Amino acid sequence: MIPFTVLGTKERLLLQSHYYEADKLMMWILLIHAFVAIFVTANYYNTYWLGIVGSAVILTLCSAAFILLRGTLWFRLIAAVAIMLFSAIYIQQHLGRIEMHFHVFIGLAILTIYKDVVPMFIATAAILIHHLLFNWMQSLHVILGNEPVMIFSYGCGTEYVILHGVMVIAETVLLTYIIKNSAQQFIEVIRAQEALDISNQQLSRFNITLEEQVRLRTQELESALQKHIGMAEDLKMAKEEAVSANQLKSEFLANMSHEIRTPLNSVIGFSDLLEQEVKEPKQVQYLHAIKNGGKALLSLINNILDLSKIESGHMKVELHPLHFKPFLREIMNMFIEPGKKKGLEVTYEIEKNLPEWIIADEIRIRQILFNLISNAIKFTEKGSVRLSVLSTPSKNEGFVDLIFSIKDTGIGISPKNQIKIFDAFIQNDGQDSRQFGGTGLGLAICRKLAQLMKGDITIESQLGQGSEFTFTIANIEISEALFAEAEEAPTKNTITFSSSKILIVDDIEENRILLHEFLNEFGFEIEEAVDGLEATELIREHAYDLVLTDIRMPRMDGWEAIRFIRDELSNHTLPVVAVTASVMKEDYEHLMKVFDGIIEKPVNKSLLISTLQRFLPYTQNIPLPEEESSFAISGLTPDEQERLKNSLSDCAKEVDAILESGDIELAEGFADKLFNIGNEFETKAIIKYASLLKENCESFNIESVESLLKEYQKNQKLWSIS
């Protein structure tokens, strides 16, 4: 609330320059009032004489006061009375019409330009005196000129004067507060301006001093500059070298991911070839170790690249079709044995309605789950580690949101550390780095990868009781398999191709050798080319039945080669299949429009042969059952035959549950049970099947275990032949 006070001497001094300008404006306002009194309001009742005489007197007095008293309180008081006199003239010119009384309020509002309440009080007093005087004169029927004196056109009376007076006083009170507020603000502006002027003066003096100091310092710097010219040149060269090195680093990172797959393709591919030759379980384990080592190397390289890409903002999500449930079982089966060695119960629960196939970044999901599950096992000394996976409908039809929960009974994380645990190079307080190791990068990378896939990772934990990490991904597309899967690679014993000529095009020799070895046993005539340019020349001169070509090659890549074959050579019937390590979901439709087929690297022999079956003529061989597979059970009594069939039927009921759970221990127990049945009924085929299944369980050959279990029902029929 602004206090109800008039301006003091100090405030008026601050407003003095404003008063000079306001007085000038007031003279113009009075001139306008005089014009209205003479030419406007006088026109209605021919009261020109009153307008002329009254305006002349008022302007004469105000002009003299402006010359002698401009900027003083006296002029403001005279101007206030003058404004109210014009109100009195307008009221009398219209014989007391109520509309003219409105000018009183206009006049009071005009006086706010002074930001001074004293003229407002004088004007209020003047108009109240006018109303009392003219009300009395109207009651006496006084004549002014040719017209009667009238204050109110509808009559006179003290009650009318009081009513109008109350309205005028009310406006005066309101305008007083407005004036006081405006004056205080204006004074504050003036004081701020004065303070600014003082600061400017001080700044000006400082600038003079500073200029002198700058002049002296400039001389010193000019002298020192000559000494540092050589150093500047060195820094420029160093900067150029740094920019060049950074560019080389970017180019290296851009090519690393693709180039590293070349040796790994050979390692994994030739391991697959050896796997067909090697049957001894121990050697099979060695091969699996080689393949796992290749995967570990790829994971290590990916971690290094991930950190660099995330920091530079170059990390991209690569979407591929993913067979989801086997993917989850494969991951968990890799942790069951390490968990068992620590005495932990490692389990997982996969929701039944989880999509079978999805479009997702398999490498990133695998990386996140590996990190979270391995951390859970590493930081849990006793108890359990459990993975739960479920899906919820997404906003878009044909899409789901995936929720992964990894819960352990480990050391737990305090609330303080939960806030910063996802920061780079941050580890849990009190964590023994010699015992647990780690760099503190894993969770930071995992959260950034999850966010890159429009998901997140959150944590709930209690110190000493365990932790639960929840990894979510939103809007995952449900899909059918984009690449066919084969349970078992066809061989020359199961399929015979007609005589065909195949051209393999790849700039990497190891890749050509691998494809050559995969196809050798089928009797194809195979030729090779190191790039698209050499391939097109061979196709121009020779006839081929199929072309297997890489995409990224020097001189002429796969895209240019197929365009040349179709357009320049006008060959639209030759099947051309892309064999590439660069297939991403966004490229898939474009590849399918241009090429006749696609095979991803590392090359899977089953997929390779099934692709060839689409384009090359072949016959399917039906192998004769092994002698021991069709054993005669006629030597068994009818009761024994019935018990054997019942035992095999009981085992069949367990197969689906084992396949659904993906539990390698259940599969191993099933093999033991079947082995005992074979021994009981002296059945070599059952014993051989059970032994093979157990060997694959012990060597963690997940694909072979699944394949054998899926073949159980077919074998059961053979074993039960009577």
Side-chain angles (χ1 to χ4, degrees), residues 401-421:
D401 298 337
L402 297 179
I403 303 172
F404 305 82
S405 174
I406 297 91
K407 188 172 184 179
D408 64 64
T409 57
I411 60 176
I413 303 172
S414 67
K416 179 184 69 174
N417 288 332
Q418 290 177 31
I419 300 173
K420 60 182 182 178
I421 197 69

Side-chain angles (χ1 to χ4, degrees), residues 24 30 85 144 273 368 406-407 438 455 457 620 722:
K24 182 178 178 181
L30 292 174
L85 288 176
L144 183 63
L273 286 174
I368 293 172
I406 297 91
K407 188 172 184 179
I457 300 178
Q620 192 78 40
S722 57

